[in-house]
Amino acid sequence: MPRLLVATGNRHKTEEIGAILGGDWQLEDLNDHPDLTPAVEDGDTFEANAVKKALGISRQCPGVLVLADDSGLEVDVLGGAPGVRSARYAGTGAGDADNRIHLLAELARLDPPPPPPLTARFRCVLALARDGGTLGTFDGTVEGRMIRAQRGRGGFGYDPLFVPEGHEQTFAELPAEVKNGLSHRARALAAAIGSLQESGANPAAGSGT
Ligand code: IMP
């Protein structure tokens, strides 16, 4: 089985990636490698951060195929916030619950209150790297709308506040299989799968690039 190191400490992301990819990969993440130092996420775009995360870990793990995910939520009435700051919207070290409360507070502050729907999207950029070289970047987006009160216990992050287009339930209420069939991460992985399979089947591919 080809080995794939996901450059995240977020187990939820790794689990979603594993569920979407199926059982064909030996999946690891930074929780399995406490010795590795993750890159600082200070890029202005999802792509810049994904590449930075993938290259940072790849340079520390010669020969290993590394996949990094940078993702976040863009809410139109907030000018695209929280965007690349999704993980730290309520401040450095903020948790998912703090970020959701902060988002609800920012929506409540808008005067006049914007009429529904509060259109939004999740975006994900995946970067694939080996031996300190980028093998590719891949995008995925899912459109939807925000609600003003949290619903559901599944998923993570902003899932209890986001209803994907074509559904009435939030990502946190929908079964994981449904989220994993249409999410931004699923769509970015679908775009990446050809390169992933090629690189996984051929460990020398991309070496030294
Ligand atoms: P990253 O780890 O820097 O990419 O930050 C991603 C942040 O965006 C997470 O901490 C969540 O707040 C949010 N996010 C990304 N993907 C999802 C998702 O699938 N559901 C809910 N929130 C997400």
Side-chain angles (χ1 to χ4, degrees):
M1 240 192 312
R3 180 178 171 202
L4 182 63
L5 174 54
V6 186
T8 184
N10 182 339
R11 277 281 191 216
H12 291 283
K13 279 189 183 177
T14 313
E15 279 166 15
E16 284 191 8
I17 290 169
I20 296 164
L21 284 179
D24 301 338
W25 294 83
Q26 182 193 323
L27 224 58
E28 301 163 17
D29 68 17
L30 300 186
N31 297 294
D32 306 307
H33 297 275
D35 48 313
L36 296 176
T37 310
V40 180
E41 288 181 45
D42 55 4
D44 290 336
T45 62
F46 294 113
E47 180 168 358
N49 280 330
V51 167
K52 205 167 176 216
K53 287 192 241 187
L55 290 182
I57 294 301
S58 167
R59 288 192 189 105
Q60 299 171 66
C61 299
V64 177
L65 190 58
V66 177
L67 183 71
D69 157 312
D70 200 63
S71 47
L73 177 70
E74 295 175 344
V75 181
D76 290 330
V77 288
L78 298 176
V84 288
R85 297 187 56 245
S86 291
R88 51 186 190 286
Y89 194 37
T92 310
D96 284 349
D98 305 317
N99 289 330
R100 288 194 297 268
I101 288 167
H102 187 63
L103 180 67
L104 287 173
E106 291 294 297
L107 289 174
R109 263 167 24 112
L110 295 173
D111 187 19
L118 301 175
T119 52
R121 69 205 52 77
F122 275 119
R123 292 195 51 214
C124 171
V125 176
L126 294 173
L128 192 60
R130 182 151 50 206
D131 291 318
T134 310
L135 303 177
T137 60
F138 311 90
D139 275 70
T141 300
V142 58
E143 299 285 339
R145 62 185 170 87
M146 306 311 294
I147 56 169
R148 289 178 177 276
Q150 307 188 40
R151 291 195 334 232
R153 308 183 70 85
F156 70 101
Y158 299 95
D159 281 347
L161 294 173
F162 181 82
V163 176
E165 219 169 58
H167 292 265
E168 292 304 323
Q169 291 176 297
T170 66
F171 261 166
E173 293 175 308
L174 288 165
E177 311 81 73
V178 176
K179 178 182 177 188
N180 291 341
L182 58 82
S183 77
H184 49 315
R185 200 160 291 106
R187 289 174 177 168
L189 270 171
I193 195 74
S195 298
L196 262 173
Q197 283 166 345
E198 194 183 321
S199 309
N202 178 8
S207 282
T209 57

